[in-house]
Amino acid sequence: MRITVLGGGAMGALFGGYLSRSADVTIVDVNAALVEAIRRDGVSIREKDGSTTLCRPDAVTSTQGMEPADLVIVFVKAMYSRGALEANRHLIGPDTYVMTLQNGSGHEDTLLEFTDRAHVLIGTTQHNSAVDGLGIVRHGGSGHTYLGSLEGDPARLQPVAEVFTAGGLEASVSDQVRRLIWGKLFTNVSASALTAVLQCPLGFISANPDAWAVCRALIREAVEAAAGEGLEFDLEETAAGVKAVCDNAPDGYTSIYADLRDGRPSEVDNISGSVVRAGRRSGVPTPTHEAIVHLIHAMEAGRAGRP
């Protein structure tokens, strides 16, 4: 299977590296120094047990002249997805699957600008990763990856799941993938978003009564928005799950926290913003999420010196 991974950051390098053990993988990134490092030294994945897994995917800054891939995986930040897909449109043939495993929800809307519903794959993963250097990532957590489609029999995706599993990324096909995406989204749109606004670790969210009160409001609105989409979740179970994430990683810092800290644009529009859009579609009020989106954009502007 020929796989192209758009984006060689933390998750792109992790997945591109592992998948290169079972498929012909090319990582595409605009950072020439990163591409050179991967081509020269491979991708080094530092595992939790202290070992290092060395993988050898190809890497390029331009895919001009390349044939269509069997699978294109989008791992750039959400705001760059359209540009990355446009620059690599020639890789998407009539039989090419285009997949998103990005954080948040609603990424399929962008993918549908480049292929049809039968060839858009959505999914969620329990793996996480952080950049430790050019072509070097720290594999912070592992788990299962679930794949699904917008249209057609999900069973046809089994060969994709098998390639993932063979490469070391245990995967399976699910006809409930939208529910799984929302299940992961609850933590991102509540505790993670608040770590960005408050610039604090996860443990503070569950330990501080005021922070937790806002977090519960965000969880409640997200559960109600999911219900408007036809996905029922129990509020107390969902809140307990988010609290457990905070309690189990009290010193943990989220990627959206780091984006705000370092002055980078965040993916808030595809995280908290996805709850706002879901609420608007079904008439469910989400005022706390709207406030979070505005606050994070204000913080981005402030750190960039913009009004």
Side-chain angles (χ1 to χ4, degrees), residues 72-90:
V72 173
I73 308 176
V74 183
F75 262 129
V76 296
K77 284 200 169 187
M79 67 284 283
Y80 305 128
S81 295
R82 184 173 287 103
L85 286 164
E86 185 62 52
N88 296 281
R89 185 186 285 270
H90 54 280

Side-chain angles (χ1 to χ4, degrees), residues 36-49:
E36 181 182 356
I38 292 174
R39 292 177 68 91
R40 181 184 64 244
D41 303 321
V43 171
S44 294
I45 303 171
R46 294 173 175 171
E47 309 289 358
K48 289 186 71 174
D49 63 4

